[in-house]
Amino acid sequence: MTPRRVVILGGGFAGLFAVRALRSAPVAVTLVDRCAHHLFQPLLYQCASGILSEGQIAQPLRAVLRRHPQVRCLQATATDVDVARQVVHAQPTDGDALELPYDDLIVGIGVRQSYFGHDEFAPYAPGMKTLADALAVRTKIYRAFERAEASEDPQERSRWLTFALVGGGPTGVELAGQIREIAGHTLDREFSTIDPGQARVLLFDGSDGVLGAFGPVLSRKAARTLDTLGVETHLRSIVTHVDDSGLTVRRKDGDTERVEARTVLWTAGVEAPPLATALARATGAEQDRAGRIKVEPDLTIAGHPEIRVVGDLMSLDKLPGLAEVAMQSGAYAGRRIRHSMEGRTRKPRPFRYLDLGSAAYISRGRAVVKMGRFHASGLIGWLIWLFIHIAFLTGFRSRIGALLSWAVVFASGARRERAYTAAVPHAAVPVTSPSGPAADPVDRHEPPRPA
């Protein structure tokens, strides 16, 4: 018998969990991803801040799937879908275009950074969606201290020691806390001219509080922790312009302010990549204002039961863009295909997301956790956060390495992963994430949830 052909687009959480659900099924799986690795995106900020190395948050897809002989991995970018012929068009980095026929298609390519219609901000304010983004952010952070040390002009030195972050979601809060720890603990005795502890970290957000999705109680606790660390939080503030020397902010009362900062980091907003528009055009599917594909309760596209959209790219019941949503939806899609091959005639149950909570790391020994009615912060929250991330890290080596790195940082404040290249890679437009739009300032990659 010719095995059923299943094409999975995206090697993130949704794609991997779909593969695992199909392990015992007589299928031939083709997994397509523009990267050759699976990225643990919730810890990107720790790679950017020098706690973890790239190898501790990224594992080769072929190594992760080595026990799945029915899976073929292809490094390519999906560009279009021909629904009439049931063919995916893909483009390798170097090589001729590919046509990948399918009987079932699972689309889990995730989302990319949104600059709210201002893609011209991207060269000056990198986001945090890919491994390249994290390394670019690391370069900007540590290079800023070096440039401040070399400067003879007090005003220019002040600009280099000012860090501005746009977005008060988990990524923004976590990264702001890390920069303050770098300035106050990691680099406190390493410079002769400047005092890194005098570095300013400014966090801008258009809402009424940081970590709004965690509820008002944890939001206030997170704000107090940031204040204790020395992070200056500016709420109800919309960034209207970014350049190489700073940004312009519009306050709630309509007044504008110019902030001189040589390092601007963008941690707000996501949007669907171009393939989502191509897929919607080909299938007649609706898209939400972020460009995500609206799906049926069984995660299929209306009129196309052979196509399922999962993870961050799907729009269903206002589900958040969390790693756990991607895991559960990917596993559900894989099971539905396996059950149909087993000849089950009962109508499948609709996808239901089991909310297991959210967690955000702020600084050493400080985190916030929301699990239903249970809320935790401080050291208890940090211990829960630690357990969650150890449980979901891919690979034994990654878990041991991360534990050792966290132990060193927690005990001494030292960071081993501080190497960076001299040049800062810039992108003229947002880069698609392997895993809405301008009007959807939601961090679509929260930390994973406890099992």
Side-chain angles (χ1 to χ4, degrees):
M1 293 180 58
T2 302
R4 190 161 168 174
R5 300 166 300 181
V6 179
V7 174
I8 300 176
L9 305 182
F13 291 113
L16 286 190
F17 274 71
V19 168
R20 292 175 181 176
L22 289 165
R23 183 171 186 175
S24 61
V27 296
V29 178
T30 301
L31 178 65
V32 182
D33 194 284
R34 70 181 188 85
C35 300
H37 58 260
H38 167 71
L39 180 64
F40 194 87
Q41 284 187 318
L43 290 178
L44 265 177
Y45 73 95
Q46 295 213 358
C47 178
S49 60
I51 296 178
L52 300 180
S53 69
E54 304 94 296
Q56 289 170 319
I57 64 170
Q59 293 291 308
L61 279 170
R62 298 183 186 280
V64 174
L65 299 175
R66 63 186 181 278
R67 297 182 181 177
H68 296 262
Q70 83 279 23
V71 179
R72 176 192 182 200
C73 295
L74 291 179
Q75 185 177 4
T77 300
T79 57
D80 202 357
V81 178
D82 186 336
V83 296
R85 297 172 54 214
Q86 294 194 184
V87 169
V88 172
H89 296 276
Q91 181 64 52
T93 304
D94 297 308
D96 298 330
L98 303 174
E99 286 192 351
L100 306 174
Y102 65 85
D103 298 307
D104 292 280
L105 175 63
I106 298 177
V107 184
I109 57 174
V111 291
R112 65 180 186 178
Q113 195 76 60
S114 170
Y115 288 85
F116 307 122
H118 293 280
D119 289 348
E120 68 273 14
F121 294 172
Y124 311 110
M128 281 270 288
K129 293 299 179 186
T130 68
L131 195 57
D133 290 340
L135 297 178
V137 170
R138 181 194 293 179
T139 298
K140 287 183 73 70
I141 291 173
Y142 287 103
R143 188 187 65 163
F145 291 100
E146 297 294 338
R147 295 295 296 273
E149 174 78 4
S151 177
E152 300 293 340
D153 182 356
Q155 292 185 343
E156 184 67 7
R157 184 179 296 167
S158 176
R159 294 188 190 101
W160 282 113
L161 290 178
T162 301
F163 301 82
L165 293 90
V166 184
T171 302
V173 168
E174 290 166 335
L175 194 54
Q178 289 303 301
I179 295 175
R180 278 304 310 157
E181 283 201 345
I182 290 171
H185 299 283
T186 303
L187 305 179
D188 57 340
R189 299 180 181 179
E190 296 190 6
F191 290 87
S192 57
T193 303
I194 64 170
D195 178 6
Q198 297 300 313
R200 298 178 63 199
V201 179
L202 293 76
L203 182 63
F204 297 93
D205 193 83
S207 67
D208 294 328
V210 298
L211 298 182
F214 285 70
V217 175
L218 290 181
S219 176
R220 288 193 294 270
K221 289 183 177 180
R224 287 197 297 268
T225 301
L226 290 173
D227 184 64
T228 301
L229 291 172
V231 176
E232 303 173 31
T233 304
H234 299 265
L235 302 175
R236 306 183 189 90
S237 300
I238 304 297
V239 174
T240 59
H241 179 74
V242 181
D243 55 41
D244 62 352
S245 61
L247 66 167
T248 303
V249 180
R250 186 178 68 245
R251 308 294 184 182
K252 186 178 182 180
D253 56 12
D255 292 339
T256 61
E257 177 187 356
R258 173 67 181 179
V259 179
E260 298 295 326
R262 282 292 194 172
T263 304
V264 181
L265 306 176
W266 197 273
T267 61
V270 294
E271 63 185 7
L275 180 65
T277 301
L279 181 61
R281 186 185 304 115
T283 60
E286 293 184 58
Q287 293 177 273
D288 64 13
R289 61 179 186 173
R292 295 184 290 266
I293 304 292
K294 294 186 178 181
V295 297
E296 299 293 291
D298 63 353
L299 307 188
T300 61
I301 295 178
H304 293 275
E306 76 282 4
I307 302 177
R308 293 171 173 83
V309 181
V310 296
D312 293 357
L313 193 64
M314 73 177 185
S315 177
L316 177 68
D317 299 332
K318 297 182 179 180
L319 289 174
L322 306 177
E324 187 62 39
V325 174
M327 294 175 190
Q328 293 184 25
S329 61
Y332 175 91
R335 288 196 302 270
R336 292 280 69 80
I337 294 174
R338 191 181 76 236
H339 291 170
S340 67
M341 296 187 65
E342 294 171 352
R344 302 193 185 189
T345 57
R346 188 176 65 179
K347 184 178 179 179
R349 295 180 180 179
F351 173 71
R352 291 184 180 178
Y353 170 58
L354 178 60
D355 189 351
L356 299 177
S358 303
Y361 178 106
I362 302 176
S363 65
R364 292 186 298 167
R366 300 174 184 177
V368 293
V369 176
K370 178 183 178 184
M371 301 167 61
R373 295 184 178 181
F374 173 77
H375 292 178
S377 59
L379 182 59
I380 294 177
W382 183 81
L383 291 174
I384 297 174
W385 174 93
L386 184 67
F387 171 78
I388 294 171
H389 286 74
I390 288 297
F392 283 100
L393 267 175
T394 304
F396 176 78
R397 175 179 173 272
S398 295
R399 292 188 178 102
I400 297 299
L403 270 176
L404 293 175
S405 298
W406 286 333
V408 170
V409 173
F410 188 73
S412 65
R415 295 166 190 254
R416 298 178 177 178
E417 306 298 334
R418 288 163 47 185
Y420 64 90
T421 57
V424 180
H426 289 309
V429 295
V431 179
T432 303
S433 166
S435 316
D440 184 14
V442 180
D443 188 326
R444 301 287 296 180
H445 287 285
E446 303 277 354
R449 314 225 175 146

